[in-house]
Every structure is written in C-alpha cells, then in structure tokens.
Amino acid sequence: MTMASSNTPIPVDDGFNEYESSLKHQKSTTSKVWDEMTKLECENKNELKAQCNHWKTIFSAKSSSGTSHLRRHLNSSTQPSPEGVPSIKNYKFDADECRRAISTFIVCGKHSFRTVEEPGFRYMMRIASPNFKNISRHTAARDVLMYYAKERDRVKEELAKAPGLICLTSDNWNSEHTNDEYICITAHWVDKDWKLQKRIIRFRALFPPYDGLNIANELVLCLSQWGIDKKIFSITLDNASYNDVMVSCLKNRFRANRAILCDGAFFQVRCCAHILNLIVKAGLELADDVVGKIRNGIRYKKKSGIRRKRFYDVADKSFHLNVTKKLRQDVCVRWNSTFLMIESSLYYKDVLDYWGQRDKDYQMFSLSNEEWRNVAILCKFLKVFYDVTCIFSGSNYPTANLYFRGVWKVHKVLLDTVKGPYSFLNPMVKQMQEKFNKYWAEYSLILSCAAILDPRYKLNYVQYCFNTIYGIHASDFVETILCNLRLLFDEYVKKSKSTSSSLAGSSNVSDKNPVDSSLDEHNDNSADFVGYFDESDDYKRYLNESRTRSEKSQLDIYLEEPELELNSQIDVLDYWSKSSVRYNELSLLARDLLAIPISTVASESAFSMGKKVTTPLRSSLKPKTVQVIICLDDWMRAKGFSTGNYYSRIIV
C-alpha cells in the first residue's frame, strides 16, 4: 500500500457539491427565445427540438438552423396568459397594481410595514420591476388602510344584499403584549346562491369597564355602522357571566325596534364547543391521578433525547410499531390534547410496560393492569366527546343541522355510562351530567329545530332521540319544540305576506272601469236601505277563511313527506335551494335557521391571527391598524386567497 502524495488535493464534500456540478454542466443559452422555449430530448442525439411554452408547437433547434424562426413564431403569435395576468409581449408596468400587491403581501403574511424599507425587499423589487419606486413604511400603512376602506364598502354591500337575516358570533380576547381587550364580531349568512358566508366585521379594542352594558353598546354601534341592526337573527356567545347582561340589553333594544323574532326565543345561542370543554374538564379532574401518571411518564421520556431515541428503537425493533405515530405530550388546559395523549399511551402500552420493568426511575409512573384497563375504558368514553368537538370546531363552519346528532350522542353516552358496569366512571359522569343538563335545556330548542329542517331527520328522528333520553316524557319536549317552530314559521309567513302586499300595493294603479265604480257606489249606498243585504261578498269571505283554516301549511306538508336516507350525503342548503319554489316561506326560515353558528370558533380563530399581528416586535401598533389587518386578511381569504389565481383576480 502506498501513501498518498502530500501534493494530491483531498476532495471535500461540504454538502453543496451536487449544486456546483449541476451548474458546471449547464450550457448557457444566450438567446432570449429560450425564456419562452423548452429544449426537447430526441431519440436521435444529432437532432434537437424546441417546444413553445405557450402554444406547445415543436420546431427544429439545430445549432445550424439558428433561432430566427423561433423568434418569428414568438413575434407573430399572440401568447395566451393566465386570467388577469398581462402577457410579456403586451406588459405595461402599473404602479397602483404593484402597490396593491404589496399591501396584500403585508396583510396576508402578517409582515411589518417596515419590510418595504429593508434592503433585501427593495433589491428584489428592483430586479423584478426596474420601474418600481421604493415606498416608505408610512406609505405602505396608508395603502393598506385605503385598501381596507375599499374592501369594507364591498363587504357592507354584500351584507345589505343578503337575502335573509344575519347571525353573529362574538368573543373577547386579551393581547398579552399590549394588554388591550379586543372584541371580535363575525357575521354569518346564506347568500343568494345558498352558500354559507362569514365575515369578520369588528376586531376592535374595548375601553374599560369590560361589562355587559359596555359590550352591548359596542355591538349596537357596530351593527348600526354596518347597517344591519334590523337584520339580526341570533348571536352565539360563550358562557362568560357578562354575556347574560349583554343579551338582556340587546333584546330590549331589538324589541323596541321590533327587530326580534319569537320574543327572542332563538336569539341567544351558547357555544356548544365551550360547553363540552367545561363538561369534560370537570370530569377529568376526578381521574387526575391516572392521567397524571401518564403525563409525568411521557414527560420523563421526552425530557432526555437519549431516552426518547431508545424508547422508539425498542418500539420499532422489538414490538414492530409504527413509530411515526408519536407519543403525545398534552397541554393541561386543553382536554382534547389530554385525550390524544391517553390514546397515544394506549398505542405504546406494551413498550411503556417493558420500560417500567427495566428503568427504576420510570417505575413510579408505570400503571398496573387494572389501571390500564380503566384507561382504555376512559379513552373509549372520551372518544365520543372528541369526535363531536371536532365537528363543532370544524374549519368549514358546518350548518346548524349537523349538531343535534352529535349532542344527542353525548347525552346518550352519559346516560348509558351511569347505568353501565364501570363503577369507577360514575363519580366523573355524574358531575358531567350536572353541567350538561344545565345547558341542554337552553340550546336543545335551536338544535332540534335545525335538525327538523334536515330532510334526513325531520320530526321522526328528533322524536326517536328524545324517546331514548326521556322515555314516556319525550312527547312533552317534542311538542314544545314543534310549537316554537310553528310560531317562528308563522312570523315568516306574516313577513312574506306583508312584503308581497306592499309590493302589490305600490305596483297597482287604479284602473277600474267608471261603470264598475258607479256600480260599487250604488251597492254601497244601497246597503243603507233597511232590509236590503247582499250576502254574496260576505259568503266569499267566509269560504276563503274556511279554506285558509283547512289548508295545510308548508311546514305540515314538509313534515308529512318521507325522510331521506339517514346516512345519505347531501348538502342541506342545496336541498332547500331546489325546494324554495315549493316551500317558499319555509325555505326562508331554513335559510336563516341553518346559518346559526353553534360555536364561537369563527371569532376565536381570529385570535390566532391576532397573536401573529401583535407580536413583541409590533406591540406599538394602534388598535385601529390591528383591526384593519385582521379584517382585511379574513376578507381576502373569503375571496379565495388559497387558490392559485387569487392575486390576478383581486388586481382585476
């Protein structure tokens, strides 16, 4: 074996050699036609082809042929371009469009206004468009404010054109960096195309005191500014104590303006997700000893990188488990993360037992066989709550008809567990039942009415669910729900008739024949003679009233029709859109009732955006600017920001 010469260079791979080698082998093409042409590989290596990126036409690309024929093709043809994006050939720089795109970039990315002053940003813009003139952070902020004002007018027009009533969600949030208390108000409605819409219409800092009266005044001011103070159907809130005072104030104001239906029976909706959270947290407190062992054991494993690696090596090699499913650590204040932690610990049960036999420090966290059995039962019990919570917290904000079935399952599992053989769950379940029954009486009306308007459920399914819960007393609950639904339907019928009569009155012009008019006057005068009475008109009125009393309402006809398949996949809004001709007034009721959000997730999701906006580095932002960024970001997403052609559409 010979030693390498000291003069021989030692090859060193620093991780970038592959990029260097690829750059060296690239053959430069100096002609600009290759910006819009692609070279193709052919079976015959001596033959080269080029394809137009726009029209996919193929040409010869031999070096002896040159590029003149390719240039002639590009100059003679009109190049197609994506919707709203000008072609390179006809491109003309527009400073206003460029500034609007920068505003979109700042808002959607939650970037600081100072970004436009950074050297890297200005260099990028200079390379992308030499005609672009640099702007200051103050100009960028002013552009965003102007953009907000324009979009606000558009959203205001959408709310004014909403064919039905509008439902609200509201929640409060405290910024940890600025200590400002913000209120978020979100509007929900079904548009003319029967699509569920939502827009944040308020994200504003409140002034103390943060009590129910002050928040009610803020809500009234917001609704008045948006011009929807007479179009509100319901408001969904969490269980904060000041919300009861606020709702009472709002009801009094709306009653005075005659802008509330059924005396407010459907006005206040309590957040189901928040209620389920309270119920499960109250129950888990009684199982904290076992849950605490699992939590501390997982924390012990994850605290050391070496222990964590050994744990997954044993799981993979000895127990052949899929280690991509990780052992979860929970967040104590979120019960759903606690459930996922319990579920993951059951998956790794054998590995944890194996580890407890070999690690003395871990033995204090290991569970006995009976404890593992109880954990498995607890996990199965909590799975129902977890699945229902996922529906309530859905990012697509489902219509109200989907909630009744989930809440009924929760109610049923609580009743069955109390009667079941697992006595260790009884103290926990009884405490959960107390909290559930407290709120069930309040929101069962809205959930049940929304379920009745689902053609898969109707009244029979609601009756079945109440029978499983209340037995012989179920009919009383169902009758109360149906009575309230009829009262609400009657209000929509009255509103529809008053609207049609006012339209008819404004469109009709007196075009009676003079002879007929004189006959009418003659009949009126003749009625003054003693003993003369023509009963024909009175008889017609009697017949009309009799027919009205005997005719079935649209609600009755709908309920008498057979239900659709229980587990069929349908869009309930699409169903009512197609049924609106047959069930005119009932479809108007369904449009508003199904738009009720059963949770405040829509407003709470804005708080996640708020945390990205009011960071420690941006704690000096004015509350007005925070509202502009949060609302504008929400409106852009509603217009389809996630789609690829979003930028081109907002520019157009």
Side-chain angles (χ1 to χ4, degrees):
M1 183 181 292
T2 59
M3 296 293 291
S5 173
S6 59
N7 295 327
T8 304
I10 300 174
V12 178
D13 184 3
D14 60 355
F16 294 93
N17 288 2
E18 58 175 309
Y19 302 104
E20 293 175 4
S21 60
S22 63
L23 287 172
K24 288 177 182 176
H25 287 89
Q26 284 181 1
K27 185 178 179 181
S28 61
T29 50
T30 56
S31 178
K32 291 185 177 180
V33 299
W34 297 114
D35 294 338
E36 300 174 62
M37 290 281 183
T38 302
K39 287 187 176 182
L40 302 177
E41 295 182 1
C42 301
E43 294 181 1
N44 185 358
K45 295 183 178 179
N46 296 325
E47 185 180 3
L48 293 175
K49 297 289 184 180
Q51 186 178 46
C52 175
N53 294 340
H54 306 290
W55 295 103
K56 308 303 179 186
T57 312
I58 297 176
F59 301 91
S60 173
K62 290 182 179 180
S63 57
S64 58
S65 302
T67 58
S68 300
H69 62 299
L70 303 179
R71 188 178 294 105
R72 283 194 300 270
H73 166 74
L74 294 173
N75 292 335
S76 62
S77 60
T78 304
Q79 300 163 12
S81 59
E83 181 186 354
V85 179
S87 64
I88 297 174
K89 180 180 176 182
N90 301 321
Y91 174 74
K92 183 179 179 182
F93 176 75
D94 190 324
D96 293 335
E97 288 183 1
C98 192
R99 293 258 292 269
R100 197 177 301 119
I102 291 174
S103 298
T104 304
F105 166 78
I106 290 173
V107 170
C108 295
K110 315 296 183 297
H111 299 293
S112 168
F113 294 120
R114 198 180 293 274
T115 302
V116 299
E117 295 180 347
E118 293 178 0
F121 179 85
R122 291 187 169 181
Y123 173 74
M124 177 186 69
M125 294 303 299
R126 185 167 69 251
I127 296 298
S129 181
N131 294 326
F132 176 74
K133 292 182 180 180
N134 292 329
I135 59 176
S136 67
R137 64 182 185 275
H138 303 293
T139 304
R142 188 166 60 250
D143 286 350
V144 169
L145 290 170
M146 292 171 63
Y147 195 7
Y148 167 81
K150 183 178 179 180
E151 288 297 307
R152 180 197 58 196
D153 293 340
R154 188 187 62 79
V155 174
K156 193 173 182 179
E157 185 178 353
E158 286 182 352
L159 291 171
K161 290 181 178 179
L165 298 179
I166 296 169
C167 304
L168 303 175
T169 55
S170 177
D171 205 353
N172 289 10
W173 172 68
N174 182 269
S175 172
E176 59 180 326
H177 301 300
T178 63
N179 206 30
D180 288 323
E181 185 81 11
Y182 286 89
I183 182 172
C184 179
I185 305 172
T186 310
H188 305 253
W189 75 97
V190 176
D191 63 16
K192 61 181 178 62
D193 298 320
W194 288 85
K195 300 296 181 185
L196 192 60
Q197 302 289 342
K198 82 155 189 78
R199 302 288 186 275
I200 296 176
I201 60 174
R202 196 73 147 198
F203 196 93
R204 179 167 170 165
L206 295 170
F207 296 101
Y210 309 125
D211 56 11
L213 182 60
N214 191 26
I215 296 174
N217 291 334
E218 181 67 28
L219 261 163
V220 171
L221 177 64
C222 170
L223 301 180
S224 178
Q225 289 174 345
W226 284 90
I228 56 174
D229 49 329
K230 294 185 178 179
K231 294 185 68 173
I232 302 303
F233 184 71
S234 71
I235 181 168
T236 305
L237 306 161
D238 63 15
N239 298 291
S241 56
Y242 56 76
N243 281 332
D244 294 331
V245 178
M246 181 194 71
V247 168
S248 179
C249 294
L250 289 176
K251 281 184 177 180
N252 292 334
R253 289 174 183 262
F254 289 152
R255 282 192 190 103
N257 297 331
R258 297 181 179 179
I260 194 168
L261 296 173
C262 293
D263 198 38
F266 295 84
F267 184 70
Q268 183 183 8
V269 183
R270 294 191 183 273
C271 175
C272 281
H274 189 73
I275 292 167
L276 283 182
N277 184 50
L278 293 176
I279 291 169
V280 180
K281 282 178 71 175
L284 281 175
E285 287 176 359
L286 299 178
D288 199 44
D289 51 346
V290 177
V291 175
K293 275 187 178 183
I294 296 173
R295 181 182 294 120
N296 293 328
I298 294 174
R299 191 174 296 157
Y300 170 79
K301 285 281 167 233
K302 292 200 165 189
K303 196 171 184 180
S304 167
I306 297 174
R307 281 197 297 265
R308 185 166 60 247
K309 185 178 184 304
R310 287 178 180 172
F311 177 85
Y312 287 119
D313 285 344
V314 170
D316 182 21
K317 295 174 182 177
S318 301
F319 294 91
H320 308 292
L321 295 176
N322 180 12
V323 294
T324 56
K325 184 176 181 179
K326 299 298 182 183
L327 200 60
R328 287 177 174 266
Q329 178 70 54
D330 74 328
V331 180
C332 297
V333 295
R334 297 179 182 173
W335 77 265
N336 51 346
S337 70
T338 303
F339 164 77
L340 293 174
M341 179 190 71
I342 295 171
E343 191 178 47
S344 67
S345 69
L346 283 170
Y347 181 76
Y348 286 103
K349 171 187 174 298
D350 294 336
V351 186
L352 291 171
D353 287 342
Y354 171 87
W355 205 269
Q357 295 170 6
R358 287 161 177 77
D359 189 341
K360 292 181 180 179
D361 294 330
Y362 182 76
Q363 285 179 359
M364 61 186 298
F365 308 124
S366 60
L367 276 63
S368 64
N369 290 333
E370 185 180 354
E371 286 177 323
W372 275 121
R373 185 180 66 86
N374 292 344
V375 167
I377 294 168
L378 177 64
C379 185
K380 186 177 179 181
F381 171 72
L382 292 177
K383 183 73 166 61
V384 178
F385 293 84
Y386 179 77
D387 291 341
V388 173
T389 302
C390 288
I391 296 174
F392 288 176
S393 306
S395 58
N396 293 327
Y397 311 109
T399 45
N401 58 299
L402 301 178
Y403 297 107
F404 177 83
R405 195 174 184 181
V407 175
W408 169 75
K409 286 181 179 179
V410 168
H411 202 163
K412 186 76 166 54
V413 79
L414 288 174
L415 293 173
D416 292 345
T417 306
V418 170
K419 301 173 184 176
Y422 309 119
S423 57
F424 77 98
L425 284 176
N426 284 348
M428 180 177 73
V429 173
K430 285 180 179 178
Q431 188 162 349
M432 295 170 75
Q433 269 189 316
E434 288 179 8
K435 285 192 171 291
F436 183 88
N437 293 334
K438 177 181 177 183
Y439 298 111
W440 170 249
E442 296 184 19
Y443 61 76
S444 60
L445 171 63
I446 294 172
L447 293 178
S448 302
C449 290
I452 290 172
L453 293 176
D454 188 322
R456 294 166 296 185
Y457 302 151
K458 294 193 177 181
L459 189 60
N460 287 334
Y461 185 77
V462 174
Q463 286 175 329
Y464 160 76
C465 292
F466 275 90
N467 279 330
T468 60
I469 296 171
Y470 298 112
I472 59 174
H473 303 290
S475 58
D476 298 334
F477 292 94
V478 174
E479 188 61 34
T480 302
I481 289 166
L482 192 57
C483 180
N484 279 279
L485 183 58
R486 290 188 189 280
L487 289 174
L488 183 62
F489 174 68
D490 289 342
E491 295 216 18
Y492 274 82
V493 172
K494 291 176 185 176
K495 188 193 299 185
S496 177
K497 286 182 178 179
S498 64
T499 303
S500 59
S501 63
S502 62
L503 290 173
S506 60
S507 61
N508 289 342
V509 180
S510 179
D511 56 355
K512 280 189 176 184
N513 191 305
V515 177
D516 294 337
S517 300
S518 63
L519 286 173
D520 289 342
E521 292 175 5
H522 173 73
N523 289 336
D524 291 340
N525 294 332
S526 299
D528 293 335
F529 290 106
V530 178
Y532 179 82
F533 177 70
D534 185 1
E535 75 281 4
S536 58
D537 293 336
D538 192 52
Y539 177 63
K540 289 177 183 178
R541 281 194 295 270
Y542 169 78
L543 288 178
N544 289 332
E545 290 175 2
S546 300
R547 290 194 188 102
T548 303
R549 285 193 294 267
S550 62
E551 283 179 358
K552 292 181 179 179
S553 68
Q554 294 176 12
L555 179 59
D556 293 326
I557 296 172
Y558 165 77
L559 293 177
E560 287 177 359
E561 289 184 344
E563 300 85 0
L564 301 181
E565 177 63 31
L566 181 62
N567 295 316
S568 59
Q569 299 296 322
I570 67 165
D571 182 348
V572 70
L573 291 179
D574 182 62
Y575 169 85
W576 283 108
S577 171
K578 294 174 180 176
S579 304
S580 58
V581 175
R582 185 180 184 192
Y583 303 118
N584 186 16
E585 291 89 359
L586 189 59
S587 65
L588 299 178
L589 166 60
R591 185 202 296 268
D592 295 338
L593 193 62
L594 294 173
I596 294 178
I598 305 298
S599 73
T600 57
V601 171
S603 293
E604 290 178 2
S605 62
F607 303 151
S608 299
M609 289 190 286
K611 291 176 183 177
K612 297 177 183 177
V613 174
T614 58
T615 62
L617 297 177
R618 306 184 73 188
S619 57
S620 60
L621 275 179
K622 294 180 180 178
K624 182 175 76 172
T625 308
V626 174
Q627 170 170 288
V628 166
I629 295 173
I630 297 296
C631 291
L632 196 51
D633 178 77
D634 178 73
W635 301 342
M636 287 179 178
R637 292 178 187 277
K639 288 165 63 176
F641 174 71
S642 59
T643 57
N645 63 341
Y646 172 74
Y647 282 102
S648 64
R649 289 198 287 113
I650 64 168
I651 288 174
V652 173

